[in-house]
Each structure stands twice: as structure tokens, then as C-alpha cells.
Amino acid sequence: MRAHKFGLLIGGIILALVLAPTSVDAQLGGLKKKIKKEAEKQAEKTAEEAIEGKEDQPEESADTVYTTEATTAEAGAASGAAAENLKPGEGAWANYDFVPGDRVLYYEDFEKSPIGDFPERLEFGKGNMEAVEWQGSRYLRMPTNADFNVPLPQVLPERFTVEFDLYLPGGVFKLYGPAADGRSVTAHSYVQFGHGNGGVHGSGGGESQVSLKKGTFDKIVRCRLMGYGKYLKVYVNETRVANIPNADFIRADRIHFNLYNSSQNGVLIDNIRVAEGGKKILYDALMADGRVATRGIYFDSGSDKLRPESTPTLKQMGQMLQEHADLSLLIEGHTDDVGDAESNLDLSQRRAAAVREFLIANYQVDGARLESKGFGESQPAAPNTTPEGRQNNRRVELVKL
């Protein structure tokens, strides 16, 4: 399975929220070959200093490959040096309550986008945007004012989640719930990320506002939105930064992304994921259908080590088992078809077993109530022919026994 490239730095992260109608582990450095050479000469020089030195460099060509002196740790979800040894429920993750939607509507990691081209699965609006490569992964780079739409196969549902990786060295980056024409600002709702201040503005009148710590977005961070009904929550890495009961984010068949006043270094975005679902009552879903798929359990790439951002889903499972002593479950592991089938089967078995062992150890669940089994790629929930299908096939399912 391809790692999600969520190698993200954690710590000191605050999302800014404003009222105006506008809103891994690697240090970014050497956004040019010349800067890389300079960094090699000055190993102690920080990425931020290297970026500042870029102002006197000539403009990049379309096929520029971005490099850094540090090595990007590819983990299954948001990670950083401070989180490498954390287990679910430890540190700041203990109060983290984001649960990703369980049916992926859109997913883009730009791996199929030619370097120097605008990704064909997005809808171009305006500006200068191109796919670039950095640390063996591809990103959408925006060096100037720009906007684009993420097209959806349906109107954004009542329960939804949006996730993306963001590097924002300058400017203001906004997500709009657009009006019918996709760009009208007369009737919209938005979430804004920016330096100094930013904001959430809801069409229902709900707004939220905080100050932004300098340097928040000078590293790649994972940004998340979770909406259900009029409610909207916003997260940056492990921190929930907005909690608005009447935001009423406008639902349309697209989400509008807008960048204003970027820095010379350019804004990077990656791993855009839009899904139906999110926070729900797990027990009710299980009782209704006899089984339920969860996609909020994360592992290190190619490993059965649980990531700390699995906390909300594992907590739901553990509490459900504690509250319903007569409930017994089969925990199933499933993968997409990327990679070797035998390896995928083995990995899915080990991951299902890891979930079982965690629940027994941390929620004092009798082991006799839990079974685990891996199915690898043999039982796809969707065709593996699209990015969305492969995302939907990477899952842990709970089956009532």
C-alpha cells in the first residue's frame, strides 16, 4: 500500500479564524537545487533560513524537483518527530475527536499528474499552479494568487469530512462552500487558514476567531474539517481549533479552494480527501447492518503499529464494548490491490490483530469476545480502478458475532 505521505510536523499549531468575508517530519528547505547546495555547505542552517535565501534566486523551471536535507518519514497519517513514539490516547491526541468519513467521494495525491502540469482531476479557476515533486512525492504548488474547484460526484452530504496537507509560507488559503455558480461570494461559507489571523465564517451566522502563532504553516500540516448538519469543527494536526454549532457550511457539488497573496516560495497542497460520514454512533450503525466499516484507524506505512490519530475511532470501539457486555466482534482487516497479494494478506491480518490486542489491553475487553482476521485485497468494497475506490478499500470492518 502506498503511504499517505502524511509526514507532518506536530507542535505549536494553531488555526486562525477571522470574520472578514474573504479564509514530514522534514523541515522545508532548499526549494531549489542551488539552495540545496548551500544547505549542504551549512548543515546547521535551518530550513527557514534557506527559504529566506531564495529571494535572490532565479525563477524555477516547471520540472524543478524540491529537495530537503531531512528525510521525510512516511506514516499512514499526520505524524512528526514528537509523535513517533506516542500510542493512541497519549499526549494531545487524548482529546482529539476527528473521525474521518467512511465513504470517500474524492481523493487526489497528484501522483499521476505530470510535473509542470495542472492536475486534470481538479477544475482550474485562475492563477499559476503546477504539479511539483519533493521528497519523492508530488504536490500542487501555487506561487501566486490562484483558485480551483474540487469536483464531487454529488452534493456534499450532511455529514462530511475534508482533509488535506498544507504548507503555507505566506498568504491566506480558504475553502469555500460555494454558491450555485461555484464562485459567488454573495452567498457562501468558508474556512480560512493564514498567518497572523484567519477565520471561519458560516452561512448560518456562526463565526469563530483566534490568533495565529507565527510559523504555524512553515511546515507541512494536516488540516481537517468535520461537518454534520449545521455543526462544523476544524483541526490542525492533533489540535481542534474551531467548534461552531451553527456554521452551516454550504453544501454544493464542489468545494472551492482559493489562495490570496502567496510568498515567493509557493504554497503546497497534497492528499486532498473528501468523504461522506464522520462522527457517528458506532453501535447504532453496527446494530442496523450487522457490520460497519471504519477508516479512522491508521498505521505506520507497511506496519501494524497503530498511529495516535486512531484515538477517536479506537475510543468509540472500546467504549461500545464496555457499555455492551454481550457484544462480540470479528475485526476484519482489508487492503486495496496495490502491491503483492500475499503481503497485503499478511499485513491485513497483523493489523486486525493489533486492533484486537489494543482493545483488550486498554479497555479491559475479554479476549473471548473478539476475533480478528485479515482478508487482504480479496474483498474490495469498491473497484480499485480509481483513487477513491482504493481509499474505500483500505479499511477495518467490525462484524457482529
PDB file of all heavy atoms in Angstrom, residues 334-363:
ATOM      1  N   HIS A 334      -8.707  -5.106   5.777  1.00  0.00           N
ATOM      2  CA  HIS A 334      -8.835  -5.115   4.318  1.00  0.00           C
ATOM      3  C   HIS A 334      -7.862  -4.115   3.709  1.00  0.00           C
ATOM      4  O   HIS A 334      -7.565  -3.062   4.307  1.00  0.00           O
ATOM      5  CB  HIS A 334     -10.256  -4.746   3.893  1.00  0.00           C
ATOM      6  CG  HIS A 334     -11.306  -5.700   4.392  1.00  0.00           C
ATOM      7  ND1 HIS A 334     -11.736  -6.792   3.668  1.00  0.00           N
ATOM      8  CD2 HIS A 334     -12.007  -5.727   5.558  1.00  0.00           C
ATOM      9  CE1 HIS A 334     -12.670  -7.442   4.354  1.00  0.00           C
ATOM     10  NE2 HIS A 334     -12.853  -6.815   5.511  1.00  0.00           N
ATOM     11  N   THR A 335      -7.381  -4.410   2.499  1.00  0.00           N
ATOM     12  CA  THR A 335      -6.475  -3.521   1.783  1.00  0.00           C
ATOM     13  C   THR A 335      -6.967  -3.284   0.363  1.00  0.00           C
ATOM     14  O   THR A 335      -7.908  -3.937  -0.095  1.00  0.00           O
ATOM     15  CB  THR A 335      -5.050  -4.118   1.701  1.00  0.00           C
ATOM     16  OG1 THR A 335      -5.052  -5.213   0.768  1.00  0.00           O
ATOM     17  CG2 THR A 335      -4.572  -4.622   3.060  1.00  0.00           C
ATOM     18  N   ASP A 336      -6.296  -2.377  -0.346  1.00  0.00           N
ATOM     19  CA  ASP A 336      -6.535  -2.257  -1.778  1.00  0.00           C
ATOM     20  C   ASP A 336      -5.645  -3.275  -2.489  1.00  0.00           C
ATOM     21  O   ASP A 336      -5.028  -4.137  -1.850  1.00  0.00           O
ATOM     22  CB  ASP A 336      -6.281  -0.820  -2.254  1.00  0.00           C
ATOM     23  CG  ASP A 336      -4.855  -0.364  -2.015  1.00  0.00           C
ATOM     24  OD1 ASP A 336      -3.972  -1.219  -1.812  1.00  0.00           O
ATOM     25  OD2 ASP A 336      -4.615   0.856  -2.048  1.00  0.00           O
ATOM     26  N   ASP A 337      -5.554  -3.195  -3.826  1.00  0.00           N
ATOM     27  CA  ASP A 337      -4.783  -4.195  -4.569  1.00  0.00           C
ATOM     28  C   ASP A 337      -3.393  -3.716  -4.951  1.00  0.00           C
ATOM     29  O   ASP A 337      -2.728  -4.323  -5.800  1.00  0.00           O
ATOM     30  CB  ASP A 337      -5.544  -4.639  -5.819  1.00  0.00           C
ATOM     31  CG  ASP A 337      -5.683  -3.536  -6.856  1.00  0.00           C
ATOM     32  OD1 ASP A 337      -5.350  -2.364  -6.547  1.00  0.00           O
ATOM     33  OD2 ASP A 337      -6.113  -3.839  -7.989  1.00  0.00           O
ATOM     34  N   VAL A 338      -2.921  -2.613  -4.362  1.00  0.00           N
ATOM     35  CA  VAL A 338      -1.586  -2.114  -4.639  1.00  0.00           C
ATOM     36  C   VAL A 338      -0.567  -2.985  -3.900  1.00  0.00           C
ATOM     37  O   VAL A 338      -0.671  -3.184  -2.692  1.00  0.00           O
ATOM     38  CB  VAL A 338      -1.433  -0.641  -4.211  1.00  0.00           C
ATOM     39  CG1 VAL A 338      -0.001  -0.171  -4.436  1.00  0.00           C
ATOM     40  CG2 VAL A 338      -2.409   0.234  -4.980  1.00  0.00           C
ATOM     41  N   GLY A 339       0.409  -3.508  -4.630  1.00  0.00           N
ATOM     42  CA  GLY A 339       1.405  -4.357  -4.013  1.00  0.00           C
ATOM     43  C   GLY A 339       1.110  -5.831  -4.200  1.00  0.00           C
ATOM     44  O   GLY A 339       0.181  -6.229  -4.922  1.00  0.00           O
ATOM     45  N   ASP A 340       1.881  -6.657  -3.522  1.00  0.00           N
ATOM     46  CA  ASP A 340       1.769  -8.107  -3.618  1.00  0.00           C
ATOM     47  C   ASP A 340       0.593  -8.627  -2.793  1.00  0.00           C
ATOM     48  O   ASP A 340       0.418  -8.245  -1.635  1.00  0.00           O
ATOM     49  CB  ASP A 340       3.078  -8.737  -3.121  1.00  0.00           C
ATOM     50  CG  ASP A 340       3.015 -10.244  -3.112  1.00  0.00           C
ATOM     51  OD1 ASP A 340       3.089 -10.824  -4.212  1.00  0.00           O
ATOM     52  OD2 ASP A 340       2.873 -10.828  -2.028  1.00  0.00           O
ATOM     53  N   ALA A 341      -0.213  -9.504  -3.402  1.00  0.00           N
ATOM     54  CA  ALA A 341      -1.419 -10.003  -2.735  1.00  0.00           C
ATOM     55  C   ALA A 341      -1.092 -10.751  -1.444  1.00  0.00           C
ATOM     56  O   ALA A 341      -1.785 -10.595  -0.430  1.00  0.00           O
ATOM     57  CB  ALA A 341      -2.198 -10.919  -3.682  1.00  0.00           C
ATOM     58  N   GLU A 342      -0.032 -11.557  -1.452  1.00  0.00           N
ATOM     59  CA  GLU A 342       0.335 -12.312  -0.255  1.00  0.00           C
ATOM     60  C   GLU A 342       0.781 -11.372   0.866  1.00  0.00           C
ATOM     61  O   GLU A 342       0.412 -11.567   2.034  1.00  0.00           O
ATOM     62  CB  GLU A 342       1.449 -13.297  -0.588  1.00  0.00           C
ATOM     63  CG  GLU A 342       1.818 -14.212   0.576  1.00  0.00           C
ATOM     64  CD  GLU A 342       2.848 -15.250   0.182  1.00  0.00           C
ATOM     65  OE1 GLU A 342       3.106 -15.411  -1.030  1.00  0.00           O
ATOM     66  OE2 GLU A 342       3.399 -15.904   1.092  1.00  0.00           O
ATOM     67  N   SER A 343       1.551 -10.352   0.510  1.00  0.00           N
ATOM     68  CA  SER A 343       1.995  -9.382   1.518  1.00  0.00           C
ATOM     69  C   SER A 343       0.815  -8.594   2.071  1.00  0.00           C
ATOM     70  O   SER A 343       0.757  -8.314   3.274  1.00  0.00           O
ATOM     71  CB  SER A 343       3.019  -8.423   0.907  1.00  0.00           C
ATOM     72  OG  SER A 343       4.180  -9.124   0.493  1.00  0.00           O
ATOM     73  N   ASN A 344      -0.121  -8.220   1.197  1.00  0.00           N
ATOM     74  CA  ASN A 344      -1.309  -7.497   1.644  1.00  0.00           C
ATOM     75  C   ASN A 344      -2.130  -8.344   2.610  1.00  0.00           C
ATOM     76  O   ASN A 344      -2.666  -7.830   3.599  1.00  0.00           O
ATOM     77  CB  ASN A 344      -2.165  -7.090   0.450  1.00  0.00           C
ATOM     78  CG  ASN A 344      -1.590  -5.905  -0.310  1.00  0.00           C
ATOM     79  OD1 ASN A 344      -0.790  -5.144   0.229  1.00  0.00           O
ATOM     80  ND2 ASN A 344      -1.999  -5.749  -1.548  1.00  0.00           N
ATOM     81  N   LEU A 345      -2.246  -9.632   2.329  1.00  0.00           N
ATOM     82  CA  LEU A 345      -2.997 -10.523   3.216  1.00  0.00           C
ATOM     83  C   LEU A 345      -2.343 -10.588   4.586  1.00  0.00           C
ATOM     84  O   LEU A 345      -3.009 -10.459   5.622  1.00  0.00           O
ATOM     85  CB  LEU A 345      -3.086 -11.916   2.604  1.00  0.00           C
ATOM     86  CG  LEU A 345      -3.793 -12.989   3.453  1.00  0.00           C
ATOM     87  CD1 LEU A 345      -5.233 -12.585   3.738  1.00  0.00           C
ATOM     88  CD2 LEU A 345      -3.726 -14.344   2.760  1.00  0.00           C
ATOM     89  N   ASP A 346      -1.023 -10.776   4.611  1.00  0.00           N
ATOM     90  CA  ASP A 346      -0.303 -10.852   5.881  1.00  0.00           C
ATOM     91  C   ASP A 346      -0.432  -9.548   6.667  1.00  0.00           C
ATOM     92  O   ASP A 346      -0.678  -9.567   7.880  1.00  0.00           O
ATOM     93  CB  ASP A 346       1.173 -11.158   5.607  1.00  0.00           C
ATOM     94  CG  ASP A 346       2.010 -11.117   6.884  1.00  0.00           C
ATOM     95  OD1 ASP A 346       1.840 -12.003   7.743  1.00  0.00           O
ATOM     96  OD2 ASP A 346       2.830 -10.185   7.013  1.00  0.00           O
ATOM     97  N   LEU A 347      -0.283  -8.412   5.970  1.00  0.00           N
ATOM     98  CA  LEU A 347      -0.376  -7.116   6.641  1.00  0.00           C
ATOM     99  C   LEU A 347      -1.765  -6.901   7.222  1.00  0.00           C
ATOM    100  O   LEU A 347      -1.918  -6.413   8.349  1.00  0.00           O
ATOM    101  CB  LEU A 347      -0.028  -6.001   5.663  1.00  0.00           C
ATOM    102  CG  LEU A 347       0.006  -4.583   6.234  1.00  0.00           C
ATOM    103  CD1 LEU A 347       1.060  -4.468   7.329  1.00  0.00           C
ATOM    104  CD2 LEU A 347       0.282  -3.577   5.117  1.00  0.00           C
ATOM    105  N   SER A 348      -2.803  -7.266   6.462  1.00  0.00           N
ATOM    106  CA  SER A 348      -4.176  -7.072   6.956  1.00  0.00           C
ATOM    107  C   SER A 348      -4.444  -7.937   8.183  1.00  0.00           C
ATOM    108  O   SER A 348      -5.158  -7.527   9.104  1.00  0.00           O
ATOM    109  CB  SER A 348      -5.183  -7.385   5.843  1.00  0.00           C
ATOM    110  OG  SER A 348      -5.185  -8.772   5.510  1.00  0.00           O
ATOM    111  N   GLN A 349      -3.874  -9.126   8.227  1.00  0.00           N
ATOM    112  CA  GLN A 349      -4.050  -9.998   9.391  1.00  0.00           C
ATOM    113  C   GLN A 349      -3.376  -9.410  10.623  1.00  0.00           C
ATOM    114  O   GLN A 349      -3.949  -9.411  11.724  1.00  0.00           O
ATOM    115  CB  GLN A 349      -3.473 -11.387   9.077  1.00  0.00           C
ATOM    116  CG  GLN A 349      -4.276 -12.159   8.040  1.00  0.00           C
ATOM    117  CD  GLN A 349      -3.596 -13.449   7.599  1.00  0.00           C
ATOM    118  OE1 GLN A 349      -2.373 -13.598   7.724  1.00  0.00           O
ATOM    119  NE2 GLN A 349      -4.366 -14.374   7.060  1.00  0.00           N
ATOM    120  N   ARG A 350      -2.159  -8.908  10.444  1.00  0.00           N
ATOM    121  CA  ARG A 350      -1.426  -8.337  11.572  1.00  0.00           C
ATOM    122  C   ARG A 350      -2.096  -7.063  12.077  1.00  0.00           C
ATOM    123  O   ARG A 350      -2.124  -6.795  13.287  1.00  0.00           O
ATOM    124  CB  ARG A 350       0.021  -8.065  11.162  1.00  0.00           C
ATOM    125  CG  ARG A 350       0.841  -9.337  10.968  1.00  0.00           C
ATOM    126  CD  ARG A 350       2.321  -9.048  10.795  1.00  0.00           C
ATOM    127  NE  ARG A 350       2.628  -8.479   9.500  1.00  0.00           N
ATOM    128  CZ  ARG A 350       3.094  -7.254   9.298  1.00  0.00           C
ATOM    129  NH1 ARG A 350       3.278  -6.436  10.337  1.00  0.00           N
ATOM    130  NH2 ARG A 350       3.364  -6.822   8.086  1.00  0.00           N
ATOM    131  N   ARG A 351      -2.646  -6.273  11.171  1.00  0.00           N
ATOM    132  CA  ARG A 351      -3.306  -5.036  11.586  1.00  0.00           C
ATOM    133  C   ARG A 351      -4.612  -5.317  12.329  1.00  0.00           C
ATOM    134  O   ARG A 351      -4.918  -4.657  13.331  1.00  0.00           O
ATOM    135  CB  ARG A 351      -3.548  -4.151  10.366  1.00  0.00           C
ATOM    136  CG  ARG A 351      -2.260  -3.519   9.855  1.00  0.00           C
ATOM    137  CD  ARG A 351      -2.473  -2.660   8.628  1.00  0.00           C
ATOM    138  NE  ARG A 351      -1.277  -1.859   8.348  1.00  0.00           N
ATOM    139  CZ  ARG A 351      -1.167  -1.035   7.311  1.00  0.00           C
ATOM    140  NH1 ARG A 351      -2.161  -0.889   6.458  1.00  0.00           N
ATOM    141  NH2 ARG A 351      -0.049  -0.344   7.144  1.00  0.00           N
ATOM    142  N   ALA A 352      -5.384  -6.277  11.847  1.00  0.00           N
ATOM    143  CA  ALA A 352      -6.614  -6.638  12.558  1.00  0.00           C
ATOM    144  C   ALA A 352      -6.284  -7.148  13.952  1.00  0.00           C
ATOM    145  O   ALA A 352      -6.964  -6.815  14.936  1.00  0.00           O
ATOM    146  CB  ALA A 352      -7.381  -7.691  11.759  1.00  0.00           C
ATOM    147  N   ALA A 353      -5.221  -7.947  14.061  1.00  0.00           N
ATOM    148  CA  ALA A 353      -4.804  -8.467  15.365  1.00  0.00           C
ATOM    149  C   ALA A 353      -4.336  -7.348  16.287  1.00  0.00           C
ATOM    150  O   ALA A 353      -4.584  -7.386  17.502  1.00  0.00           O
ATOM    151  CB  ALA A 353      -3.690  -9.496  15.178  1.00  0.00           C
ATOM    152  N   ALA A 354      -3.676  -6.321  15.718  1.00  0.00           N
ATOM    153  CA  ALA A 354      -3.199  -5.198  16.530  1.00  0.00           C
ATOM    154  C   ALA A 354      -4.364  -4.428  17.135  1.00  0.00           C
ATOM    155  O   ALA A 354      -4.297  -3.979  18.294  1.00  0.00           O
ATOM    156  CB  ALA A 354      -2.338  -4.268  15.674  1.00  0.00           C
ATOM    157  N   VAL A 355      -5.448  -4.265  16.369  1.00  0.00           N
ATOM    158  CA  VAL A 355      -6.634  -3.584  16.890  1.00  0.00           C
ATOM    159  C   VAL A 355      -7.241  -4.405  18.027  1.00  0.00           C
ATOM    160  O   VAL A 355      -7.601  -3.864  19.085  1.00  0.00           O
ATOM    161  CB  VAL A 355      -7.667  -3.366  15.774  1.00  0.00           C
ATOM    162  CG1 VAL A 355      -8.972  -2.796  16.341  1.00  0.00           C
ATOM    163  CG2 VAL A 355      -7.111  -2.413  14.710  1.00  0.00           C
ATOM    164  N   ARG A 356      -7.348  -5.701  17.824  1.00  0.00           N
ATOM    165  CA  ARG A 356      -7.894  -6.580  18.866  1.00  0.00           C
ATOM    166  C   ARG A 356      -7.067  -6.474  20.146  1.00  0.00           C
ATOM    167  O   ARG A 356      -7.619  -6.308  21.248  1.00  0.00           O
ATOM    168  CB  ARG A 356      -7.910  -8.029  18.368  1.00  0.00           C
ATOM    169  CG  ARG A 356      -8.368  -9.043  19.412  1.00  0.00           C
ATOM    170  CD  ARG A 356      -8.333 -10.462  18.844  1.00  0.00           C
ATOM    171  NE  ARG A 356      -8.794 -11.425  19.833  1.00  0.00           N
ATOM    172  CZ  ARG A 356      -8.015 -12.016  20.737  1.00  0.00           C
ATOM    173  NH1 ARG A 356      -6.699 -11.717  20.769  1.00  0.00           N
ATOM    174  NH2 ARG A 356      -8.522 -12.880  21.603  1.00  0.00           N
ATOM    175  N   GLU A 357      -5.752  -6.553  20.015  1.00  0.00           N
ATOM    176  CA  GLU A 357      -4.883  -6.513  21.190  1.00  0.00           C
ATOM    177  C   GLU A 357      -4.959  -5.168  21.908  1.00  0.00           C
ATOM    178  O   GLU A 357      -4.903  -5.106  23.142  1.00  0.00           O
ATOM    179  CB  GLU A 357      -3.446  -6.803  20.752  1.00  0.00           C
ATOM    180  CG  GLU A 357      -3.243  -8.247  20.286  1.00  0.00           C
ATOM    181  CD  GLU A 357      -1.936  -8.440  19.534  1.00  0.00           C
ATOM    182  OE1 GLU A 357      -1.140  -7.473  19.495  1.00  0.00           O
ATOM    183  OE2 GLU A 357      -1.723  -9.537  18.983  1.00  0.00           O
ATOM    184  N   PHE A 358      -5.105  -4.088  21.132  1.00  0.00           N
ATOM    185  CA  PHE A 358      -5.217  -2.771  21.757  1.00  0.00           C
ATOM    186  C   PHE A 358      -6.489  -2.675  22.592  1.00  0.00           C
ATOM    187  O   PHE A 358      -6.468  -2.148  23.711  1.00  0.00           O
ATOM    188  CB  PHE A 358      -5.218  -1.680  20.677  1.00  0.00           C
ATOM    189  CG  PHE A 358      -5.305  -0.284  21.236  1.00  0.00           C
ATOM    190  CD1 PHE A 358      -4.151   0.423  21.565  1.00  0.00           C
ATOM    191  CD2 PHE A 358      -6.533   0.325  21.449  1.00  0.00           C
ATOM    192  CE1 PHE A 358      -4.231   1.703  22.107  1.00  0.00           C
ATOM    193  CE2 PHE A 358      -6.622   1.604  21.980  1.00  0.00           C
ATOM    194  CZ  PHE A 358      -5.465   2.293  22.308  1.00  0.00           C
ATOM    195  N   LEU A 359      -7.598  -3.158  22.071  1.00  0.00           N
ATOM    196  CA  LEU A 359      -8.863  -3.084  22.796  1.00  0.00           C
ATOM    197  C   LEU A 359      -8.822  -3.924  24.071  1.00  0.00           C
ATOM    198  O   LEU A 359      -9.335  -3.517  25.118  1.00  0.00           O
ATOM    199  CB  LEU A 359     -10.001  -3.541  21.887  1.00  0.00           C
ATOM    200  CG  LEU A 359     -10.300  -2.634  20.688  1.00  0.00           C
ATOM    201  CD1 LEU A 359     -11.303  -3.292  19.750  1.00  0.00           C
ATOM    202  CD2 LEU A 359     -10.807  -1.274  21.157  1.00  0.00           C
ATOM    203  N   ILE A 360      -8.198  -5.078  23.999  1.00  0.00           N
ATOM    204  CA  ILE A 360      -8.087  -5.935  25.179  1.00  0.00           C
ATOM    205  C   ILE A 360      -7.228  -5.260  26.244  1.00  0.00           C
ATOM    206  O   ILE A 360      -7.582  -5.227  27.433  1.00  0.00           O
ATOM    207  CB  ILE A 360      -7.481  -7.299  24.792  1.00  0.00           C
ATOM    208  CG1 ILE A 360      -8.462  -8.073  23.900  1.00  0.00           C
ATOM    209  CG2 ILE A 360      -7.132  -8.114  26.038  1.00  0.00           C
ATOM    210  CD1 ILE A 360      -7.883  -9.345  23.299  1.00  0.00           C
ATOM    211  N   ALA A 361      -6.104  -4.673  25.825  1.00  0.00           N
ATOM    212  CA  ALA A 361      -5.151  -4.095  26.773  1.00  0.00           C
ATOM    213  C   ALA A 361      -5.622  -2.778  27.356  1.00  0.00           C
ATOM    214  O   ALA A 361      -5.372  -2.491  28.536  1.00  0.00           O
ATOM    215  CB  ALA A 361      -3.796  -3.906  26.093  1.00  0.00           C
ATOM    216  N   ASN A 362      -6.319  -1.965  26.573  1.00  0.00           N
ATOM    217  CA  ASN A 362      -6.644  -0.608  27.008  1.00  0.00           C
ATOM    218  C   ASN A 362      -8.084  -0.434  27.487  1.00  0.00           C
ATOM    219  O   ASN A 362      -8.383   0.556  28.164  1.00  0.00           O
ATOM    220  CB  ASN A 362      -6.366   0.377  25.875  1.00  0.00           C
ATOM    221  CG  ASN A 362      -4.887   0.511  25.580  1.00  0.00           C
ATOM    222  OD1 ASN A 362      -4.199   1.309  26.180  1.00  0.00           O
ATOM    223  ND2 ASN A 362      -4.405  -0.294  24.635  1.00  0.00           N
ATOM    224  N   TYR A 363      -8.970  -1.353  27.125  1.00  0.00           N
ATOM    225  CA  TYR A 363     -10.362  -1.228  27.552  1.00  0.00           C
ATOM    226  C   TYR A 363     -10.838  -2.460  28.318  1.00  0.00           C
ATOM    227  O   TYR A 363     -12.034  -2.626  28.528  1.00  0.00           O
ATOM    228  CB  TYR A 363     -11.257  -0.959  26.340  1.00  0.00           C
ATOM    229  CG  TYR A 363     -11.045   0.437  25.791  1.00  0.00           C
ATOM    230  CD1 TYR A 363     -10.104   0.671  24.790  1.00  0.00           C
ATOM    231  CD2 TYR A 363     -11.743   1.520  26.306  1.00  0.00           C
ATOM    232  CE1 TYR A 363      -9.887   1.949  24.294  1.00  0.00           C
ATOM    233  CE2 TYR A 363     -11.536   2.809  25.818  1.00  0.00           C
ATOM    234  CZ  TYR A 363     -10.595   3.014  24.821  1.00  0.00           C
ATOM    235  OH  TYR A 363     -10.373   4.284  24.352  1.00  0.00           O
TER     236      TYR A 363
END
